[in-house]
Each structure stands twice: as C-alpha cells, then as structure tokens.
Amino acid sequence: MSRDRFERALLRVLKPLVIGVLFLMTAFPFLYMVLLSVRDIQELILEPGSLWPRAFTLDTYVDVLTRQGFLSFLRNSAIVALASVAVTLLISIPGAYAVARLRFFGRRQVHFLFLAVYLFPAIVLAIPLFVLFTMLGLRGSLFGLILVYIAQTVPVTVYMLRNYFETVPQSVEEAAAIDGCTRLSTIWRVVLPLSKPALMATGLYAFMIAWNEFLFALLFLVEKRESWTVSLGLSQLAGSIEIPTTVLMAGSVVLTLPIVIVFFASERLLTEGLTAGAEKG
C-alpha cells in the first residue's frame, strides 16, 4: 500500500472518530445539565452518581420561571439582545461599507482604530461608564445597558463586515449604478443580499455578547431586580445556599437553550445565504 492510500484510509477512520469524540466532549455537559434539571432533589441526594433519573419532573422549571422570576429576566434579556443586534447592524453596515469602498484619509488605519477598545480590560471601562451613567440617570435602565453592548459590538462587527464587503465584486455595484441605483439602493438591493452569511455571523456574535454578558449587567442593574437579565438572575441562584442544585441547573438550561436555538437557526440561514450569494454572484 502506498503512503498516499494509507494516509487516506487512516483519515477515513480517524475523521468520524475525532468528530464523535469532540461531539461527546461538547454535548455531554449540556446533556448532564438537562438531566439534572429534570430530577427530583431527593433522588439526587440519595443517588448522586446516577446519570439517568428514575422519574422526570418539570417542577424545577416552574420554580425558576415563576418563583425565581426568570420569565421577566428572559423578557429583559430578549429586549436587550434584539435591540443591540438591530442597532449594531444598522450602524455597522454603512460604516463597514464606507471603509471597504470609499476613499478617504486614514482609510487603511481606521478599522484598526475601531478595535483599539479591545486593548483595555472591561473593568477599566466599567468604572468611567458607571460614573457617566449615574450622572445621566441611566443606571438601572435597560436602555443604558443596550448602549454599552452596542459600543462593545460595533467595532468588531464593522471590522468583520468590512472584510466581507471587500469580497463583493465591484462590477456588480457598477452594473447597479448603470441601472440607475443610488449608493444606498445599491447597498440595499445588491450588497446586503450577497452578504447574508456575514450579516448572520455578525448578528449572532452581537446576540451572544448581549445575552451572556454579566459584568456590565451586574454593574448597572444590580439595584433594580425587575430589570435583571438572565445571566444576572442565574448568578443570584448560584450564590444562594438555599437553592437546590436541580433548580440551578434548570436556570442554566433556560440561559443556554435560546443561544443553542439561535445558533442552529442561524446556521440554516447562513447556509441559505451562502447559496443565494453564489447564485447571484
């Protein structure tokens, strides 16, 4: 057997094996968390080593969503995440297009300046933001938290979209201009349909940042429980010795499940966007 045939045969065997191992490593913790969340606490105390529960119960989810207030936390997180994604894309799309297509002084350096904010730890920015938001009366409001997340996500989404917009053929935009399209209509009718994969990726990134972020949520919302997000509510559960482990796991599932759903939905749309872009290109 030649070396090439041996390597190909070895890769055919190792590929599914490696994929299976990686899948188990990533899926098992989430599956174990789900199984713990549907177990009775008494059964867990008596049989802590058992993986599969004898009986399933949803009382933990009822406790989390009603008594612990996670329904309102989910609403707050959804408002913050969706608003952050919408405004981030609204600002990033024209900004990234300008950096990718327009000629101006400092064009080559501007996208690096956008990322300069990530040179500083979040805690360094948190103190001046806390003082500023206190002076403006925005502490304790979801609107203030949305502003922080937009400031966090806009620089990197501009950088991501700028790189993708540069791959869109200029000949397509020139053809649209010949047909009478203005710059804005060219972006709306030509560039954005061809950029669906990038828009999905940047939107998912902004959503995950706004949904999972904890430091700024704790800093600005801790004094106002009715404005808490899911991550802040989960930390409150984790810090209480009176909360059973099963209820804590149910809260973790409530926090994680929307991200999983959004990811798989975005993956499907991302594939469709790649196909549509190839057909239109």
Side-chain angles (χ1 to χ4, degrees):
M1 179 182 293
S2 65
R3 179 178 177 180
D4 180 66
R5 293 181 61 184
F6 173 76
E7 291 178 350
R8 290 177 180 273
L10 183 63
L11 286 176
R12 281 197 298 268
V13 174
L14 290 180
K15 183 179 178 180
L17 182 63
V18 171
I19 292 176
V21 170
L22 292 177
F23 175 78
L24 288 176
M25 290 174 59
T26 55
F28 179 76
F30 181 74
L31 177 61
Y32 184 61
M33 181 173 65
V34 173
L35 292 177
L36 281 180
S37 68
V38 294
R39 294 185 69 176
D40 183 75
I41 185 60
Q42 297 299 328
E43 178 188 342
L44 180 62
I45 293 174
L46 294 175
E47 300 179 6
S50 176
L51 293 179
W52 195 261
R54 293 183 179 179
F56 294 91
T57 177
L58 297 178
D59 293 341
T60 51
Y61 288 93
V62 174
D63 189 357
V64 163
L65 295 175
T66 56
R67 290 182 56 194
Q68 304 301 331
F70 267 61
L71 277 178
S72 62
F73 299 162
L74 284 170
R75 182 197 63 214
N76 295 335
S77 290
I79 292 173
V80 170
L82 294 177
S84 299
V85 170
V87 179
T88 295
L89 291 179
L90 188 64
I91 297 174
S92 300
I93 289 172
Y97 183 84
V99 176
R101 287 288 188 260
L102 304 183
R103 300 293 181 265
F104 54 88
F105 177 76
R107 173 178 172 269
R108 293 181 178 272
Q109 292 78 26
V110 68
H111 59 282
F112 294 110
L113 295 177
F114 274 120
L115 298 179
V117 66
Y118 291 97
L119 297 176
F120 304 95
I123 191 63
V124 174
L125 302 175
I127 297 174
L129 283 175
F130 180 83
V131 175
L132 176 63
F133 279 34
T134 301
M135 295 172 59
L136 296 176
L138 294 177
R139 206 178 76 199
S141 70
L142 296 179
F143 177 73
L145 193 63
I146 291 171
L147 291 180
V148 174
Y149 292 160
I150 292 171
Q152 277 190 305
T153 53
V154 163
V156 71
T157 51
V158 168
Y159 183 83
M160 294 168 63
L161 289 175
R162 172 252 183 191
N163 291 333
Y164 195 89
F165 285 164
E166 288 185 342
T167 65
V168 177
Q170 292 194 29
S171 58
V172 179
E173 299 181 35
E174 293 170 356
I178 293 174
D179 290 338
C181 290
T182 63
R183 180 78 71 175
L184 290 178
S185 61
T186 299
I187 296 175
W188 178 256
R189 296 181 180 181
V190 178
V191 177
L192 293 187
L194 293 175
S195 304
K196 286 182 180 179
L199 296 177
M200 295 299 168
T202 53
L204 179 60
Y205 165 80
F207 183 88
M208 291 179 64
I209 289 292
W211 186 271
N212 291 324
E213 201 278 331
F214 172 73
L215 175 62
F216 290 110
L218 174 65
L219 191 64
F220 297 131
L221 303 179
V222 66
E223 300 172 356
K224 196 174 181 181
R225 182 181 173 85
E226 60 268 22
S227 298
W228 282 10
T229 57
V230 181
S231 59
L232 197 54
L234 185 62
S235 70
Q236 180 255 340
L237 291 183
S240 176
I241 61 175
E242 300 176 357
I243 300 298
T245 303
T246 53
V247 175
L248 178 60
M249 291 299 102
S252 301
V253 173
V254 170
L255 173 65
T256 309
L257 193 58
I259 291 292
V260 175
I261 295 173
V262 169
F263 174 79
F264 282 109
S266 299
E267 185 182 30
R268 177 178 59 82
L269 294 174
L270 182 62
T271 304
E272 293 177 358
L274 283 169
T275 306
E279 292 173 350
K280 294 178 182 179

